[in-house]
Amino acid sequence: EGLSKSIGENVLFKDLSFRVNKDDKIAFIGNELAITTLFNILMEEDVADEGSFKFGVSITTSYFPHDNSKYFEGHTESILDWMRQYSSDQTESYLRNFLGRMLFSNESVFKQVRVLSGGEKVRCMFSRMMLFGSNMLLLDQPTNHLDLESITAVNNGLSDFKGNILFSSHDYEIVNTVANRIIELTPDGWQDFHGRY
């Protein structure tokens, strides 16, 4: 309700109000900085200048940030041990189950996270999100650093996901096939369109 945020003289969004309904998969388009800032506010990593928001009592969230570097900086452990910090079940077989879905198998789970490529870090972030089993996903440019085959897999996974999704992407196909609602943020205001891109 009435979310507003500015950086200095730069108004990112003003008086933004929307309700997320059951089965909504909302693509945010427009100003990238505004979208990233909105997602950070919704995940309580930033604070709005005005307005408020509230998630339903049964909502659990997972966040895929535009910049995932803070999740990996200063970490020297293996991918397997990196995943352990997010899991209550510490067993190797349990964690391998989630890593295997992102094509980390056999010895690759022992690779140190500090030497991972951009694409491998994205796959780690997806494994982490699956571990949480959330019913609402916030994804800020999730297909950056991925090859075409991986982008297709992400597209299929998001299309099949049974919960809510708030996302932004440069990939036209994902926006067009996943989203059933579009919210456009511009310096002049915002538009909420119920329908496909």
Side-chain angles (χ1 to χ4, degrees):
E1 285 292 326
L3 287 176
S4 298
K5 181 70 175 180
S6 299
I7 298 177
E9 298 293 311
N10 184 14
V11 176
L12 298 179
F13 47 86
K14 188 168 179 55
D15 200 29
L16 175 63
S17 297
F18 62 93
R19 179 184 183 95
V20 180
N21 303 306
K22 186 174 176 6
D23 301 323
D24 271 351
K25 295 182 179 180
I26 306 172
F28 287 80
I29 61 172
N31 182 321
E32 284 185 33
L33 179 58
I35 295 166
T36 296
T37 303
L38 173 63
F39 286 1
N40 285 338
I41 290 168
L42 295 177
M43 295 311 298
E44 298 183 338
E45 293 180 4
D46 200 346
V47 179
D49 298 336
E50 295 174 21
S52 63
F53 71 92
K54 183 175 73 172
F55 288 114
V57 292
S58 63
I59 295 295
T60 55
T61 59
S62 284
Y63 183 38
F64 184 99
H66 185 67
D67 177 11
N68 62 31
S69 58
K70 74 174 187 179
Y71 293 89
F72 297 98
E73 278 173 5
H75 287 272
T76 57
E77 70 269 30
S78 68
I79 295 171
L80 190 64
D81 287 334
W82 180 85
M83 279 286 283
R84 270 198 179 100
Q85 68 185 314
Y86 300 110
S87 177
S88 54
D89 187 332
Q90 301 281 298
T91 59
E92 185 172 321
S93 58
Y94 179 77
L95 296 170
R96 274 183 177 271
N97 179 36
F98 293 97
L99 291 168
R101 293 181 199 172
M102 287 289 114
L103 307 180
F104 291 113
S105 57
N106 302 324
E107 298 303 305
S108 67
V109 300
F110 300 115
K111 192 173 184 179
Q112 291 188 338
V113 292
R114 65 183 173 84
V115 299
L116 296 179
S117 69
E120 288 170 323
K121 287 178 180 176
V122 167
R123 287 164 40 211
C124 282
M125 292 300 290
F126 277 123
S127 296
R128 174 183 171 274
M129 290 178 79
M130 285 188 282
L131 186 67
F132 296 151
S134 301
N135 58 17
M136 179 176 223
L137 308 180
L138 283 87
L139 305 147
D140 194 356
Q141 307 289 343
T143 57
N144 290 359
H145 306 293
L146 294 181
D147 59 29
L148 191 57
E149 189 177 0
S150 300
I151 291 170
T152 302
V154 169
N155 193 344
N156 293 338
L158 295 180
S159 295
D160 294 343
F161 184 69
K162 299 300 183 210
N164 290 108
I165 304 175
L166 308 181
F167 73 103
S168 69
S169 178
H170 290 303
D171 190 293
Y172 166 80
E173 188 66 22
I174 285 183
V175 173
N176 199 39
T177 57
V178 173
N180 59 14
R181 186 172 162 195
I182 310 291
I183 294 179
E184 181 181 18
L185 301 180
T186 71
D188 302 320
W190 53 275
Q191 265 189 312
D192 188 351
F193 175 72
H194 291 256
R196 300 217 168 265
Y197 188 62

